[in-house]
C-alpha cells in the first residue's frame, strides 16, 4: 500500500465526522455535502502540505471550518435577509415531538456566542478531544475547556434546566405548549 493510498483511506474514514461537523455549522444537508466536498478537494490539492505524523482529523476539520467561514463572508455580500422574510418562507411546522425538541436546542445553540457554540459542537457533538478542538480553533487547551463549560452552563440556562436530564422534560413541555 502506498503512502497516498493510506492517506486517502484515512481521509475517507473521516468523511462521516466531517459531514456531521459541516451539518452542525450549516444546518442544511446539501450545504453540508458541498462543504465536505470543498474540504476534500482542498485537502487533496494540498496533501503535500500535510505533515505525516500530525493530526489529520484536526487538519481536515480546520480546512472545513475555514472554508465555512469564508463562504459565510462571501454570502453576506451576495444576499441580505435582515428581516428574515426569505428565511421565514423556508420554515415548516414540526411534525414530531423530537423535531420540536431539536428546534428548541438549535434555537438555544444559536443564542450562544460563536466561539462557545463552536467549542461545544466540536467537543460535544463531533466527539473531538479538547486538544483537537483547541488545535482546530487555534487557541489554548484551557480556553477550549472554559468555552465548553460556559457553553454548557449557558445552554442549560437558556433552556431553563438545572441539568442535562431536565432538557428532555423541558422539550416535552415546549412541545405540549406548541
Amino acid at each position: 500500500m502506498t503512502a497516498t493510498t493510506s492517506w486517502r483511506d484515512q481521509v475517507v474514514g473521516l468523511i462521516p465526522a466531517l459531514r456531521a461537523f459541516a451539518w452542525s455549522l450549516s444546518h442544511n444537508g446539501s450545504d453540508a455535502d458541498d462543504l465536505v466536498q470543498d474540504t476534500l478537494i482542498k485537502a487533496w490539492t494540498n496533501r503535500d502540505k500535510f505533515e505525516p505524523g500530525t493530526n489529520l482529523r484536526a487538519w481536515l476539520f480546520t480546512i472545513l471550518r475555514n472554508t465555512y467561514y469564508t463562504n459565510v463572508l462571501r454570502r453576506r455580500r451576495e444576499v441580505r435577509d435582515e428581516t428574515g422574510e426569505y428565511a421565514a418562507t423556508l420554515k415548516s411546522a414540526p411534525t414530531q415531538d423530537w423535531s420540536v425538541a431539536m428546534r428548541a436546542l438549535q434555537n438555544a445553540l444559536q443564542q450562544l456566542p460563536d466561539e462557545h457554540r463552536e467549542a461545544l459542537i466540536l467537543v460535544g457533538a463531533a466527539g473531538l478531544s479538547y486538544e483537537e478542538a483547541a488545535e482546530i480553533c487555534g487557541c489554548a487547551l484551557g480556553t477550549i475547556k472554559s468555552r465548553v463549560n460556559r457553553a454548557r452552563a449557558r445552554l442549560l440556562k437558556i433552556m431553563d434546566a438545572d441539568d442535562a436530564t431536565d432538557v428532555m422534560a423541558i422539550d416535552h413541555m415546549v412541545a405540549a405548549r406548541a
Side-chain angles (χ1 to χ4, degrees):
M1 183 181 296
T2 67
T4 302
T5 304
S6 173
W7 184 86
R8 185 187 66 219
D9 292 341
Q10 291 175 14
V11 170
V12 169
L14 291 171
I15 289 175
L18 288 169
R19 188 169 191 295
F21 183 51
W23 190 91
S24 71
L25 292 172
S26 66
H27 301 292
N28 180 297
S30 64
D31 287 347
D33 289 340
D34 291 344
L35 188 55
V36 170
Q37 183 176 352
D38 290 345
T39 300
L40 295 174
I41 290 169
K42 288 178 182 180
W44 183 259
T45 303
N46 296 296
R47 67 187 177 279
D48 57 318
K49 295 179 184 174
F50 176 73
E51 296 179 30
T54 59
N55 191 337
L56 178 62
R57 181 178 178 147
W59 188 67
L60 291 171
F61 270 67
T62 301
I63 292 171
L64 189 143
R65 176 181 175 259
N66 291 343
T67 301
Y68 171 75
Y69 285 117
T70 299
N71 290 341
V72 166
L73 291 174
R74 187 176 298 134
R75 285 184 184 151
R76 283 186 185 162
R77 290 181 296 228
E78 294 173 358
V79 178
R80 306 270 334 187
D81 188 27
E82 294 169 358
T83 61
E85 293 175 12
Y86 177 73
T89 64
L90 301 176
K91 295 181 181 179
S92 63
T95 58
Q96 298 178 357
D97 288 345
W98 62 266
S99 170
V100 173
M102 184 57 91
R103 192 171 307 255
L105 179 59
Q106 286 174 337
N107 289 338
L109 280 170
Q110 290 303 316
Q111 293 179 43
L112 296 175
D114 291 341
E115 62 273 356
H116 289 175
R117 180 177 51 252
E118 180 177 67
L120 187 61
I121 288 170
L122 286 170
V123 173
L128 291 159
S129 68
Y130 287 111
E131 292 82 7
E132 290 173 321
E135 187 176 337
I136 290 167
C137 293
C139 63
L141 176 62
T143 302
I144 280 295
K145 288 181 177 181
S146 176
R147 287 177 182 175
V148 170
N149 184 46
R150 288 181 180 153
R152 286 177 177 154
R154 180 74 179 133
L155 195 60
L156 288 172
K157 186 174 181 179
I158 291 169
M159 297 188 81
D160 196 25
D162 293 326
D163 61 46
T165 58
D166 291 343
V167 172
M168 286 309 296
I170 289 169
D171 291 339
H172 289 298
M173 289 187 304
V174 169
R177 285 186 219 146

